[in-house]
Amino acid sequence: MKNLALYSLLAIGISFASCQSNTKKETAKAETKVACTNDCSKCEKSAESKLTTQNVENAGIYYFHGDRKCKTCKAVGEKAKEIAEKMNAKFFDINLDEEGNEALAKEFQASGSSLFIKHTKSGEIENLTNFAFRTAINDTKAYVEKLESTLKADM
């Protein structure tokens, strides 16, 4: 029984470590949120945060990640890239472990695996990280529909 508990903790630790970025930069004070397990519109709206920037020429989908990606991280990035190509939107794949990406990470307040949409018209940055990681594998249809509708509304 003790071995089972030890192996379970070890597996959880390895899973958690595989999603974490090995960035060398200091991260800003991070806000910790627990993703809702219910599929209600209230939860989705509270999980999404919005930032504003004046530069709209680089509008598109921004996928931030580290060198190592778990299954969910890969699914979020792959589906986002497919949707960007389908919708003729720009897709930015940013590895936080590579030098030179610090300014982008700071602009988007990204300190780990994250997904953002920078809107064409307003320059607003919409954080879809919680929604994306909650649905990319478990409810792919909802994930795809959300990204497509968000991009369509911006065109």
Side-chain angles (χ1 to χ4, degrees):
M1 188 68 174
K2 287 183 181 180
N3 285 341
L4 179 61
L6 179 63
Y7 289 129
S8 297
L9 286 174
L10 183 59
I12 291 170
I14 291 171
S15 296
F16 180 73
S18 69
C19 280
Q20 298 304 310
S21 172
N22 294 325
T23 59
K24 295 177 184 174
K25 64 179 182 62
E26 291 181 28
T27 56
K29 190 173 159 185
E31 179 180 322
T32 305
K33 292 184 180 179
V34 177
C36 177
T37 56
N38 298 324
D39 287 329
C40 63
S41 60
K42 257 187 183 175
C43 293
E44 288 175 22
K45 289 180 182 173
S46 66
E48 299 166 5
S49 64
K50 297 182 180 183
L51 306 169
T52 305
T53 182
Q54 297 301 321
N55 185 2
V56 295
E57 59 194 44
N58 289 323
I61 299 176
Y62 285 76
Y63 168 57
F64 292 89
H65 59 85
D67 285 333
R68 300 180 310 183
K69 295 184 268 185
C70 67
K71 180 180 177 181
T72 306
C73 295
K74 289 176 185 176
V76 166
E78 289 168 3
K79 280 292 177 195
K81 185 175 181 177
E82 286 174 23
I83 293 164
E85 290 171 356
K86 177 182 172 184
M87 304 290 297
N88 199 26
K90 293 180 184 177
F91 179 77
F92 301 91
D93 188 323
I94 300 111
N95 186 335
L96 294 168
D97 291 331
E98 292 178 1
E99 289 186 33
N101 291 330
E102 294 86 6
L104 262 178
K106 186 175 181 179
E107 177 185 355
F108 285 82
Q109 299 177 0
S111 60
S113 296
S114 342
L115 186 73
F116 297 89
I117 292 183
K118 186 173 183 180
H119 294 277
T120 306
K121 295 176 184 174
S122 65
E124 187 177 80
I125 297 172
E126 188 171 355
N127 184 347
L128 297 176
T129 304
N130 287 341
F131 178 79
F133 280 83
R134 194 172 61 236
T135 59
I137 291 178
N138 297 329
D139 193 356
T140 307
K141 183 179 178 186
Y143 175 61
V144 169
E145 287 174 356
K146 173 71 172 173
L147 285 180
E148 287 178 349
S149 66
T150 303
L151 289 172
K152 282 179 187 175
D154 201 36
M155 294 179 165

